[in-house]
């Protein structure tokens, strides 16, 4: 392996890596002797199928992404609290994965629908392969926590302890906390022939309690003395009870206290077993839209949210040595098997670590957030934002640039008597949103406010419905989504009267109108008064709110109308240039790459000799570096301090680059199931800035991972011995000055490989490209 790369997968080649990847069954646990590991012959068959496919499984690729996040928890250059943060993130990521992706798989399994994964596996064997891979990941989570993180806790003056570690006085404090705070909130729920199976809340700590009342005279007439009941720990209680011991802080898991005092809930009966577990339910619901989108549809969304809490159980996390009688009943009740049950020998649910990370005593230990810097073309302070945008297009690069210019523009528009109208698409909002407040103020001031509120934004449905109803009551024109499609595009238009003319101000972005996530996600946004942009956006809003069908847009590419088709045309143009010996190249930065049609076109472009550089943060179903398929394609992923969320598309176009930004990834849902947009970057300085962002992403040697042909990822390591300098884009983008924005050629002179129809490869030199 290249000495500048670190293998994070513990893999030794394609087939061997898949053996390791799949052989992580619960049956291999010493605690469950009757469960046997997956037969080696079956592992081999699955591994062969997965490895031979020209596409990487979407779900297995997502697991590899979460593995890269977990790699941050292994990063010794970060302090313990930063590492705990990344471990907590992997756990919340898994919850969403089980809720949505595993839930989606069960929509096929439960209704006998056929599904063939990109790996080539049908739905039943793929379930086993997927859950086996998840199990291996969870075991690595536990290892990182136990072996790499927990031993360092004492150095930072805290510990996560068991109840047996308490002194008598400390135990008294814990018991008092139980008696006065926890006990009144607990409700044992019995399940037997006279009591229905209780509704168990997903993502909540639950005790399964097995009792025997045979020795009690109170239940002597009951023929069945062995009972099972459940005690749910309310989610509004903190996970840890904290105790100060000298200069050290002790974090005692609340379940330790409840288990110790459980006898107070079961008097006069014998407790045979107390087992802690946690469940995740299927939350991937399909909407059957109503004709009346304004009323019935909102009610349907509300009902679907409720059904998410009652969805089928897809995942059970349970402590070791659980009572077999209870586990058997749960398996039958929920129609699950050993693949769905994960034995956790550490903490159940690592999201609880946020309580430690956010403890007031440790705030100074967290790496301080760098204050945002002004956009490269906006150095002056206390200026008229309308005036600035009138003079020049402004590209914002968040979180390095503040989201404040967007908020100021909207807030000033709400108060400005010359502003006539505001139009906006909303997908996700901050909890205390300044965007909502500005729109309410604008409506109060008599301006026309049109808002497309996407209430199908997963897990934000309730908040979006609540905020949309507030705006509607204030007099705003609110559209609740568009039929079958999710509106994911991020567009804003402000109409302002200036003297004898009307000027339109536009904002086009890759990220949400959410000032909270704008501090954590990398995104781009364009502020402009260019009339071609504003005409396109105005037409686009007419499509959304009415029945307009414009013949074409100048600077916008939209879906579901024509995005896949236009991207294929741009890719094919690069292929033709390469075949004709002209300069060519493709560089795309995005979150996910999954659409098979685009992947196939990229494969063809690679075979035509086009150099393709992909920066894909998460899911990537394209397999790079495969002989006679994708030798000219490289894929890297950036995972670090910020969540990479920006989308930038670059096509070399014979030395006249065409660039696009926007909200869309290369996914089936982005092209067929969402209203999306990509916007062309036309201003020379803006294009230069976007190319600069791509260039630094390609040069990063601190946060970057490279996708291998077998589906594994290798960490790019900066080798100082070779006079390399660390390039950490999550720090360097704060330091870039406008005078450093030199012209950059992403595809300098190099030899390219062209695959002939016969399958042979010949080298064709590219003529020297202009800088």
């Amino acid at each position: 392996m290249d000495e500048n790369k670190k293998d994070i997968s513990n893999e030794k080649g394609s087939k061997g890596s898949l053996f390791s990847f799949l052989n992580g069954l619960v049956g291999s646990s010493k605690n469950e002797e009757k469960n046997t590991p997956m037969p080696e012959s079956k592992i081999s068959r699955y591994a062969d199928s997965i490895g031979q496919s020209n596409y990487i499984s979407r779900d297995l690729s997502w697991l590899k992404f979460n593995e890269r996040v977990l790699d941050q928890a292994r990063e010794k250059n970060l302090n313990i609290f930063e590492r705990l943060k990344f471990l907590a993130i992997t756990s919340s990521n898994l919850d969403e994965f089980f809720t949505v992706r595993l839930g989606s798989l069960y929509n096929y399994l439960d209704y006998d629908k056929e599904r063939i994964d990109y790996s080539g596996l049908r739905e039943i064997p793929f379930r086993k392969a997927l859950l086996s891979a998840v199990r291996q990941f969870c075991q690595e989570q536990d290892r990182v926590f136990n072996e790499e993180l927990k031993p360092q806790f004492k150095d930072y003056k805290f510990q996560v302890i068991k109840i047996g570690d308490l002194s008598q006085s400390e135990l008294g404090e814990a018991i008092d906390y139980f008696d006065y705070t926890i006990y009144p909130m607990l409700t044992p729920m019995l399940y037997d022939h006279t009591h229905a199976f209780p509704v168990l809340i997903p993502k909540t700590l639950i005790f399964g309690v097995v009792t025997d009342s045979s020795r009690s005279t109170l239940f002597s007439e009951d023929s069945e003395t062995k009972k099972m009941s459940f005690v749910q720990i309310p989610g509004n209680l903190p996970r840890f009870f904290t105790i100060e011991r000298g200069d050290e802080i002790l974090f005692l898991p609340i379940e330790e206290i409840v288990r110790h005092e459980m006898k107070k809930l079961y008097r006069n009966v014998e407790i045979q077993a107390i087992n802690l577990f946690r469940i995740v339910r299927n939350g991937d619901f399909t909407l059957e839209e109503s004709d009346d989108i304004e009323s019935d549809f909102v009610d349907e969304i509300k009902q679907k949210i409720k059904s998410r809490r009652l969805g089928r159980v897809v995942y059970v996390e349970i402590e070791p040595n659980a009572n077999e009688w209870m586990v058997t009943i749960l398996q039958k009740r929920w129609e699950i098997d050993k693949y769905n049950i994960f034995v956790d020998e550490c903490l159940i649910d690592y999201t609880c670590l946020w309580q430690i990370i956010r403890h007031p005593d440790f705030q100074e230990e967290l790496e301080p957030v760098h204050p945002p810097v002004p956009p490269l073309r906006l150095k002056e302070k206390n200026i008229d934002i309308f005036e600035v945008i009138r003079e020049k297009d402004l590209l914002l690069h968040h979180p390095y640039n503040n989201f404040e210019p967007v908020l100021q523009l909207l807030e000033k528009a709400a108060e400005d008597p010359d502003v006539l109208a505001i139009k906006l698409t909303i997908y996700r909002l901050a909890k205390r949103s300044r965007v909502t407040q500005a729109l309410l103020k604008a409506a109060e001031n008599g301006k026309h406010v049109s808002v497309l509120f996407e209430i199908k934004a997963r897990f934000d449905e309730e908040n979006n419905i609540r905020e949309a109803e507030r705006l509607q009551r204030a007099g705003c024109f609110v559209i609740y989504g568009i039929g079958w499609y999710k509106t994911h595009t991020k567009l804003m238009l402000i109409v302002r009267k200036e003297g004898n003319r009307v000027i339109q101000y536009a904002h086009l972005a890759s990220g949400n109108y959410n000032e909270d996530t704008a501090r954590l996600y990398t995104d781009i946004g364009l502020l402009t008064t260019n009339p071609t942009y504003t005409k396109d956006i105005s037409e686009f809003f007419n499509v959304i709110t009415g029945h307009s069908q414009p013949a074409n847009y100048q600077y916008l590419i939209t879906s579901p109308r024509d995005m896949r088709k236009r991207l294929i045309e741009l890719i094919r143009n690069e292929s033709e240039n390469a075949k004709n010996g002209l300069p060519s190249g493709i560089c795309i930065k995005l979150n996910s790459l999954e659409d098979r049609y685009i992947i196939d076109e990229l494969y063809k472009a690679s075979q035509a000799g086009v150099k393709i550089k992909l920066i894909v943060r998460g899911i990537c179903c394209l397999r790079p570096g495969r002989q006679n398929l994708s030798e000219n394609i490289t894929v890297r992923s950036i995972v670090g301090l910020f969540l990479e969320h920006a989308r930038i598309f670059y096509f070399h176009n014979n030395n006249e680059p065409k660039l696009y930004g926007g909200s869309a990834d290369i996914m089936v849902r982005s092209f067929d199931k969402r209203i999306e947009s990509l916007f062309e970057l036309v201003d020379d300085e803006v294009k230069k800035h976007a190319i600069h962002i791509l260039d630094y992403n390609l040069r990063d040697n601190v946060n970057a991972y490279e996708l291998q042909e077998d589906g594994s990822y290798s960490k790019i390591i900066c080798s100082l011995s070779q006079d390399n300098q660390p390039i950490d884009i999550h720090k360097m983008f704060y330091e870039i000055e406008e005078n450093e924005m030199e012209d950059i050629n992403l595809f300098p002179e190099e030899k390219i490989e062209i695959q002939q129809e016969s399958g042979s490869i010949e080298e064709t030199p590219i003529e020297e490209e202009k800088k």
Side-chain angles (χ1 to χ4, degrees), residues 426-445:
I426 294 177
Y427 192 72
R428 299 190 195 277
L429 287 173
K431 293 302 180 184
R432 289 179 289 276
S433 173
R434 287 169 61 184
V435 172
T436 300
Q437 292 304 315
L439 295 174
L440 290 170
K441 177 61 71 173
E444 181 183 313
N445 289 336

Side-chain angles (χ1 to χ4, degrees), residues 315-461:
Y315 168 79
V316 179
E317 191 176 7
I318 195 166
E319 62 186 4
N321 303 309
N323 182 273
E324 290 188 9
W325 178 73
M326 180 189 73
V327 171
T328 300
I329 292 175
L330 294 180
Q331 284 182 296
K332 291 179 180 178
R333 176 74 193 183
W334 291 328
E335 297 180 5
I336 58 176
D337 59 17
K338 62 186 180 183
Y339 288 93
N340 303 88
I341 298 177
F342 287 59
V343 177
D344 196 319
E345 301 193 15
C346 300
L347 285 171
I348 288 181
D349 182 18
Y350 286 119
T351 61
C352 66
L353 297 174
W354 284 111
Q355 186 182 343
I356 298 175
I357 298 163
R358 291 169 175 159
H359 192 279
D361 285 16
F362 305 141
Q363 292 310 295
E364 293 184 1
E365 298 287 349
L366 293 173
E367 186 170 330
V369 178
H370 195 295
V373 297
L376 293 180
R377 305 178 78 182
L378 184 63
K379 294 300 184 183
E380 304 87 351
K381 295 182 179 180
N382 302 319
I383 55 175
D384 187 325
I385 190 67
F386 286 116
E387 182 179 339
V388 172
I389 303 172
R390 271 201 313 272
E391 292 179 358
K392 56 193 174 186
D393 286 1
L394 195 64
L395 187 69
L396 304 175
H397 188 197
H398 310 299
Y400 316 105
N401 303 145
N402 209 323
F403 195 65
E404 201 64 24
V406 180
L407 296 172
Q408 288 178 359
L409 178 65
L410 188 56
E411 289 170 342
K412 187 166 185 178
E415 299 281 2
D416 190 331
D418 293 326
V419 169
L420 306 175
I422 300 174
K423 298 183 179 183
L424 185 67
T425 61
I426 294 177
Y427 192 72
R428 299 190 195 277
L429 287 173
K431 293 302 180 184
R432 289 179 289 276
S433 173
R434 287 169 61 184
V435 172
T436 300
Q437 292 304 315
L439 295 174
L440 290 170
K441 177 61 71 173
E444 181 183 313
N445 289 336
K447 305 180 192 310
H448 173 78
V449 178
S450 297
V451 182
L452 193 152
F453 232 121
E454 184 47 78
I455 59 173
K456 298 188 293 294
R458 184 179 282 126
F459 306 124
D460 276 335
E461 299 98 340

Side-chain angles (χ1 to χ4, degrees), residues 535-548:
K535 181 178 183 297
D536 279 356
I537 295 173
S538 185
E539 292 275 18
F540 190 66
F541 273 108
N542 289 340
V543 171
I544 291 175
T545 61
H547 295 282
S548 174

